[in-house]
Amino acid sequence: MSNIETIRFPVAGMTCGSCVNRIARSLRKLDGVSHVRVDLRHETATLSREPGLVTDAALAAAVADAGYQADLGALVALPTAEPRGLLGRLLGSTR
């Protein structure tokens, strides 16, 4: 099973929805990147990645190619939710 991590980092230069779409498209093109969400209001990009396939430098280059600036120095790793069965979700169990 592959090691997936979810990260968030600031992106400078966004001013509209087209900016959001450009950045998201550029990040989604990278092998090993999934679940991309770009937030104009908070000026951030959140995504899931396989660190062995896509580096911070590759993420920064993809954002730069779209015409914006990623601040990977301020990257935050987010907790990854563990999948639970239906009964566990209904009962609030962590198993």
Side-chain angles (χ1 to χ4, degrees):
M1 185 171 186
S2 57
N3 181 29
I4 303 291
E5 71 177 354
T6 302
I7 59 170
R8 178 178 300 136
F9 55 89
V11 178
M14 292 188 284
T15 58
C16 65
S18 290
C19 298
V20 168
N21 292 333
R22 250 182 256 122
I23 294 164
R25 271 194 312 270
S26 185
L27 290 169
R28 282 187 188 111
K29 288 180 183 177
L30 297 173
D31 287 336
V33 171
S34 61
H35 306 288
V36 175
R37 180 174 180 268
V38 179
D39 186 325
L40 176 62
R41 181 175 176 194
H42 294 105
E43 296 181 323
T44 59
T46 305
L47 56 90
S48 295
R49 72 169 173 178
E50 292 183 52
L53 294 178
V54 62
T55 63
D56 291 354
L59 295 173
V63 172
D65 287 346
Y68 306 90
Q69 184 177 9
D71 181 2
L72 277 296
L75 180 145
V76 175
L78 303 175
T80 304
E82 293 182 24
R84 296 185 291 173
L86 177 60
L87 185 58
R89 289 191 308 264
L90 292 173
L91 298 176
S93 168
T94 57
R95 290 186 191 165

